[in-house]
Amino acid sequence: MALPRNVVVPGMQAEYASFAGLLKSLSADEWTQATRCDGWSVADIAAHVTGTLTDVVNFRLEGLGTPEVTARQVDERRGRAAAEVADELEQSAKLGADVLTGFDDAAWETPLAGGLQGTLGFGVETLWYDTFVHGDDIRAAIGRASVVEADGLRPSLSHIAQILTDQGWRPSILAFGELGEFPVSGGGAPISADPLAFVLAATGRGDTAALGLDDTVNIYRE
């Protein structure tokens, strides 16, 4: 279940503003750095985040998240400078904010279009999560510190809990203090850890064993 609309909408807007600011701060050398996302540069990550939002606000939802669509998003922006991609992101974020003002709480619970799984609320929360995690990918690639107190940790934990539930992971509760508790598969024994370390481990970016978990917690495992 997604976080409430009155939390996700402003949080997502703030995350996109932060991501655009990050892009604008990059040097030409940083823009081309390799990242921990296999085969992707900083520019590729920025193109994916921006392309996803642009596709969403223009209702191009078919195949969103598939390798083919992701590759198109990157290819369409190849060769652009960081500031140019940031400008597109800001324009799409503004359009997205305008679109979301037309949805009420009932609409928040409606199924996604375009063959995508989950509700509208889950889809918007996913955008917030994806932007937060990819922002950390960029910071890691260029040697900047993670934003460990970012609000983006809450939607990331919520998103991971929902995906683990969909995958039939063991009943548990992701318990992270002030960030909240997020039940998995109906709830069970609590799992507590550094929240960012957990998010990184659960998305294939960190060491699961260091948290006392195994690789089944990785939502992208094959």
Side-chain angles (χ1 to χ4, degrees):
M1 182 176 179
L3 295 172
R5 181 171 61 96
N6 62 354
V7 172
V8 175
V9 173
M12 182 194 70
Q13 291 173 294
E15 195 67 56
Y16 279 126
S18 174
F19 194 89
L22 174 62
L23 299 190
K24 290 181 178 181
S25 74
L26 299 174
S27 68
D29 181 62
E30 289 172 331
W31 187 236
T32 62
Q33 289 298 306
T35 73
R36 61 193 176 196
C37 297
D38 190 30
W40 276 17
S41 67
V42 168
D44 294 334
I45 287 178
H48 161 61
V49 170
T50 302
T52 297
L53 181 59
T54 297
D55 282 345
V56 168
V57 299
N58 287 284
F59 301 100
R60 294 192 295 265
L61 304 180
E62 195 68 38
L64 204 64
T66 63
E68 294 77 15
V69 170
T70 299
R72 171 186 54 79
Q73 292 165 348
V74 173
D75 288 342
E76 287 175 347
R77 291 157 184 84
R78 196 172 305 282
R80 295 186 189 178
E84 185 179 358
V85 176
D87 286 344
E88 180 191 347
L89 181 67
E90 289 177 330
Q91 292 168 6
S92 292
K94 183 180 183 306
L95 180 57
D98 292 342
V99 170
L100 285 173
T101 58
F103 294 113
D104 58 16
D105 288 339
W108 196 246
E109 300 300 328
T110 59
L112 284 166
L116 301 175
Q117 293 186 338
T119 62
L120 172 65
F122 177 72
V124 178
E125 181 183 83
T126 300
L127 294 175
W128 186 3
Y129 144 80
D130 194 57
T131 305
F132 171 75
V133 173
H134 281 317
D136 195 69
D137 291 332
I138 291 176
R139 292 184 180 91
I142 62 176
R144 298 191 195 178
S146 297
V147 182
V148 295
E149 296 180 356
D151 287 340
L153 285 168
R154 280 191 71 198
S156 297
L157 294 167
S158 177
H159 175 83
I160 289 166
Q162 182 60 58
I163 297 300
L164 288 174
T165 297
D166 292 344
Q167 293 175 346
W169 205 63
R170 69 173 188 257
S172 54
I173 296 176
L174 308 183
F176 290 93
E178 293 181 356
L179 291 171
E181 294 187 347
F182 307 89
V184 176
S185 301
I191 295 174
S192 297
D194 174 83
L196 180 59
F198 179 84
V199 168
L200 296 179
T203 58
R205 294 167 166 85
D207 184 5
T208 57
L211 303 180
L213 301 169
D214 59 36
D215 286 342
T216 63
V217 77
N218 178 2
I219 61 174
Y220 297 124
R221 67 188 183 277
E222 296 182 357

